[in-house]
Amino acid sequence: MASIKDVALRAGVSVATVSRALSGKGKVSAASREAVARAAKELGYVLSYNASSLASGRSRNIGIVVPTISRWYFANVLQGATQELNERGYDLTLYNTSGEQRHRDAVFQDLLMRQRLDAVITVTLKLTAPELHQLRLVGKPLVALGGLLPEVSTIRVDDFNIASLATEHLVSLGHTKIAFLGGADVFNVDFNLPAARLDGFEYALDQAEIAVNPQWLLDADFTTAGAYQKVRSLLSNPRGRPTALLCASDEMAFGAIMAARDLGLSLPGDFSVIGIDGHELGELYGLTTIAQHPGAQGEAAVARIMELLGEDGHPDPPSPAPDQFFPTEFVLRTSTAPPA
């Protein structure tokens, strides 16, 4: 069986360079990395992470805790984080609480305490004081994605201003009859995302001196099917309908567009729709949206973890980053226009 010394000899580099190149830890030139990879492949050598972990005290494993994996946002966060971890030679352990308290308790009271992780990333979970205390007891770096946590490095978007901007776009087109489709109370459990987006919507209307119609404040389950039913009922009301709609997610906006078309309405001539997310199917629907780039958020969370682990070339881990919002992007397409 080939050894790391054999790989170093074949590649013409030092043993230390082989270790850095294969583990992804430390700086190695592109030429040396390619030579090491070629030599390792020719010799059938695979770096022993067990030995590497014993020597460094690291497992090269990052835990990510999510409330679900079935929604578009979480799947894209995981994809971005996984790609970044692969580039850095780290494994990922996924913990899915499934939105159930007993699963969440098991994660924070048992699984994360087994110390098989180098760090933890939580996604849209507002950790309680006991949960934060448990994580600090084991001394693992923590990055929170999706909401602000005390004394924790955080990556999040500005949901209030995103919704406000989307509403301002509709107002600037001349719409005054504007509805809002958000999430039911069950989705406000952690960082109150639907509530923050509703607040931004109402603020923008208030600034434009446009009254909020309570009958046009709808909620659904963040699915296309759920939104379809709610918007179809809204647009079928014979006592007047809105000319525009802000949806708190792109998936709900897709349902709204299909409901309007099934009722014989033209978009955007009879009805304008704007979403929030940046879903890849938005272009197919011609959906105007505000993209929050969840894949890039996942990559950024891993990059922040590496900083805290000292893997970015700095010997001392930085303090939590200042409260800065992750950048979003306004994407104008064909689903919004001035009212007829």
Side-chain angles (χ1 to χ4, degrees), residues 295-309:
Q297 291 183 46
E299 294 175 3
V302 171
R304 186 75 57 78
I305 281 291
M306 295 303 147
E307 292 177 4
L308 295 173
L309 288 171

Side-chain angles (χ1 to χ4, degrees), residues 187-203:
F187 297 99
N188 277 311
V189 173
D190 284 294
F191 289 113
N192 301 319
L193 179 149
R197 293 181 179 178
L198 174 60
D199 288 344
F201 167 78
E202 292 182 330
Y203 173 81

Side-chain angles (χ1 to χ4, degrees), residues 220-267:
D221 56 0
F222 281 92
T223 68
T224 298
Y228 176 91
Q229 295 297 334
K230 287 296 182 75
V231 176
R232 186 179 176 88
S233 296
L234 172 71
L235 297 180
S236 299
N237 190 331
R239 296 189 176 183
R241 60 174 178 244
T243 61
L245 171 69
L246 165 59
C247 295
S249 78
D250 282 357
E251 287 178 288
M252 291 199 293
F254 301 153
I257 289 173
M258 287 190 286
R261 288 174 176 169
D262 284 354
L263 290 172
L265 301 178
S266 66
L267 274 79

Side-chain angles (χ1 to χ4, degrees), residues 26-318:
K27 295 182 178 179
V28 180
S29 69
S32 294
R33 190 182 301 278
E34 183 178 350
V36 169
R38 184 169 56 250
K41 182 177 181 180
E42 292 172 354
L43 295 171
Y45 176 80
V46 178
L47 179 68
S48 172
Y49 279 98
N50 288 335
S52 177
S53 298
L54 288 173
S56 65
R58 295 273 179 84
S59 65
R60 302 194 69 80
N61 188 16
I62 306 300
I64 298 185
V65 188
V66 297
T68 179
I69 57 174
S70 62
R71 308 305 304 149
W72 173 84
Y73 170 81
F74 298 101
N76 278 266
V77 166
L78 288 172
Q79 182 176 6
T82 301
Q83 290 177 344
E84 187 69 14
L85 288 170
N86 286 340
E87 289 291 329
R88 296 174 180 268
Y90 272 75
D91 294 325
L92 176 149
T93 297
L94 177 64
Y95 299 95
N96 179 13
T97 67
S98 303
E100 295 189 25
Q101 188 61 46
R102 61 189 180 91
H103 292 163
R104 181 165 174 158
D105 290 342
V107 169
F108 288 100
Q109 294 177 12
D110 181 21
L111 299 179
L112 292 181
M113 300 299 107
R114 295 177 184 175
Q115 303 193 34
R116 294 185 298 193
L117 306 172
D118 289 337
V120 177
I121 298 171
T122 61
V123 185
T124 71
L125 294 172
K126 187 174 183 179
L127 303 188
T128 64
E131 289 171 343
L132 284 170
H133 178 68
Q134 288 169 332
L135 287 174
R136 288 175 178 138
L137 281 178
V138 295
K140 303 299 182 183
L142 170 65
V143 168
L145 200 158
L148 186 63
L149 292 176
E151 300 181 13
V152 173
S153 189
T154 301
I155 296 171
R156 62 187 179 124
V157 298
D158 190 344
D159 288 301
F160 177 92
N161 279 312
I162 285 175
S164 180
L165 173 60
T167 308
E168 290 170 14
H169 169 64
L170 296 175
V171 171
S172 72
L173 293 173
H175 291 279
T176 58
K177 299 177 180 179
I178 307 173
F180 176 83
L181 178 59
D185 289 340
V186 67
F187 297 99
N188 277 311
V189 173
D190 284 294
F191 289 113
N192 301 319
L193 179 149
R197 293 181 179 178
L198 174 60
D199 288 344
F201 167 78
E202 292 182 330
Y203 173 81
L205 288 188
D206 180 69
Q207 293 298 298
E209 298 183 347
I210 297 174
V212 176
N213 187 336
Q215 294 182 344
W216 293 347
L217 299 180
L218 311 177
D219 60 66
D221 56 0
F222 281 92
T223 68
T224 298
Y228 176 91
Q229 295 297 334
K230 287 296 182 75
V231 176
R232 186 179 176 88
S233 296
L234 172 71
L235 297 180
S236 299
N237 190 331
R239 296 189 176 183
R241 60 174 178 244
T243 61
L245 171 69
L246 165 59
C247 295
S249 78
D250 282 357
E251 287 178 288
M252 291 199 293
F254 301 153
I257 289 173
M258 287 190 286
R261 288 174 176 169
D262 284 354
L263 290 172
L265 301 178
S266 66
L267 274 79
D270 297 323
F271 189 57
S272 287
V273 177
I274 185 171
I276 296 173
D277 270 340
H279 197 293
E280 59 268 15
L281 292 180
E283 187 172 0
L284 178 64
Y285 283 88
L287 178 65
T288 297
T289 187
I290 299 180
Q292 61 170 320
H293 306 297
Q297 291 183 46
E299 294 175 3
V302 171
R304 186 75 57 78
I305 281 291
M306 295 303 147
E307 292 177 4
L308 295 173
L309 288 171
E311 294 271 351
D312 60 344
H314 299 292
D316 298 321

